Amino acid sequence: AKSRTKSKPVGLLTTSPEQIPTLAPERSSVWNKQVFADIEWRRFEAVCEGFYSQGKLKTKSQSHGADGGVDIWMYFDDPQKPVSVVQCKNYSRKIVGVDKMREFFGVMKAHGLSSGQFVTSSTFSADAQKFADEHGINAVDGDKLLKLIATRTPEQQKELLDIAYEGDYAVPTCVSCSIKMVENFAKADGKKFWGCSHYPKCKRTIGYVNA
């Protein structure tokens, strides 16, 4: 793994982690669940967009910051007339609950859409899956996503794997600033965390899974 220079301690509080690898692992040569564990959330979104763009619909990723609950727009010819939207969650241990599914359905209705894709590297709760089935939401968990990727040609699968491991794939991206975060230490207990490199302008932080 590449070594990274640690920045000076600051007095920031960590927030709950979603998917934060502590070291950059060696990339996998095949698609499996370890790929999801290796990569940060922005790479996961890029994989999802790459996957859907291999189909019949065109895609447009949502610029980050306040994304309004949409990560990817799907359309035929006019990007201003989406036919479906995608929400992506790269969770390491967290299960997607029905609250997230309800929020996503609200986003769909706000855009006048009857179709939506909710993709996670994790799993859905029983209530979330039931709600999705009843409201036109295609709920794709980690296992299902791997099965879908396996239906692509070997060339397309490699293309998606290259997207997953592009750049500093294990270093999280700040959801507010869309830039890579930096390693830091909390003054209170010395634990490592990821902090936005725009600090103090942006104080968003994410804790290490094994900090």
Side-chain angles (χ1 to χ4, degrees), residues 109-148:
K109 301 307 290 183
H111 292 285
L113 300 173
S114 58
S115 171
Q117 326 291 321
F118 199 121
V119 187
T120 181
S121 57
S122 181
T123 57
F124 299 99
S125 69
D127 287 342
Q129 184 65 60
K130 183 174 183 293
F131 185 90
D133 294 340
E134 294 173 347
H135 293 84
I137 301 173
N138 182 24
V140 180
D141 62 15
D143 288 336
K144 185 174 181 179
L145 181 56
L146 287 175
K147 289 178 181 178
L148 289 171

Side-chain angles (χ1 to χ4, degrees), residues 18-19 89-96 100 120-122:
E18 290 187 353
Q19 176 70 14
K89 294 293 183 185
N90 190 20
Y91 288 150
S92 55
R93 303 180 182 91
K94 186 176 178 181
I95 296 174
V96 177
K100 297 295 184 185
T120 181
S121 57
S122 181

Side-chain angles (χ1 to χ4, degrees), residues 12-27:
L12 295 177
L13 297 175
T14 61
T15 58
S16 299
E18 290 187 353
Q19 176 70 14
I20 309 302
T22 57
L23 295 173
E26 183 178 351
R27 61 172 288 170

Side-chain angles (χ1 to χ4, degrees), residues 7-180:
S7 53
K8 294 181 180 180
V10 296
L12 295 177
L13 297 175
T14 61
T15 58
S16 299
E18 290 187 353
Q19 176 70 14
I20 309 302
T22 57
L23 295 173
E26 183 178 351
R27 61 172 288 170
S28 174
S29 59
V30 295
W31 269 104
N32 52 48
K33 279 192 173 181
Q34 185 59 43
V35 177
F36 300 146
D38 290 345
I39 62 177
E40 53 110 12
W41 66 269
R42 187 64 191 92
R43 287 293 89 213
F44 182 72
E45 288 186 6
V47 167
C48 292
E49 183 180 10
F51 172 79
Y52 285 112
S53 69
Q54 291 174 345
K56 295 180 180 180
L57 293 175
K58 299 177 182 178
T59 62
K60 179 180 69 173
S61 61
Q62 173 71 33
S63 58
H64 288 86
D67 63 17
V70 175
D71 293 317
I72 304 166
W73 300 90
M74 301 174 66
Y75 61 97
F76 284 109
D77 295 307
D78 187 351
Q80 302 305 316
K81 296 180 180 180
V83 296
S84 188
V85 288
V86 186
Q87 176 68 269
C88 309
K89 294 293 183 185
N90 190 20
Y91 288 150
S92 55
R93 303 180 182 91
K94 186 176 178 181
I95 296 174
V96 177
V98 70
D99 57 330
K100 297 295 184 185
M101 202 63 75
R102 291 181 187 277
E103 291 173 7
F104 182 58
F105 181 66
V107 171
M108 288 168 50
K109 301 307 290 183
H111 292 285
L113 300 173
S114 58
S115 171
Q117 326 291 321
F118 199 121
V119 187
T120 181
S121 57
S122 181
T123 57
F124 299 99
S125 69
D127 287 342
Q129 184 65 60
K130 183 174 183 293
F131 185 90
D133 294 340
E134 294 173 347
H135 293 84
I137 301 173
N138 182 24
V140 180
D141 62 15
D143 288 336
K144 185 174 181 179
L145 181 56
L146 287 175
K147 289 178 181 178
L148 289 171
I149 290 174
T151 66
R152 299 305 197 210
T153 66
E155 292 76 19
Q156 289 176 321
Q157 292 183 45
K158 181 182 183 302
E159 176 185 344
L160 295 176
L161 202 59
D162 289 341
I163 291 174
Y165 287 108
E166 181 180 310
D168 288 333
Y169 53 86
V171 178
T173 301
C174 176
V175 297
S176 297
C177 304
S178 296
I179 60 173
K180 289 294 183 178

Side-chain angles (χ1 to χ4, degrees), residues 3-12 180-187 190-199 205 208:
S3 61
R4 303 187 186 90
T5 302
K6 307 295 190 298
S7 53
K8 294 181 180 180
V10 296
L12 295 177
K180 289 294 183 178
M181 304 181 93
V182 294
E183 291 177 332
N184 221 317
F185 295 87
K187 283 184 177 179
K191 287 186 177 180
K192 293 185 291 185
F193 66 94
W194 295 106
C196 182
S197 58
H198 278 174
Y199 177 83
T205 64
Y208 273 80

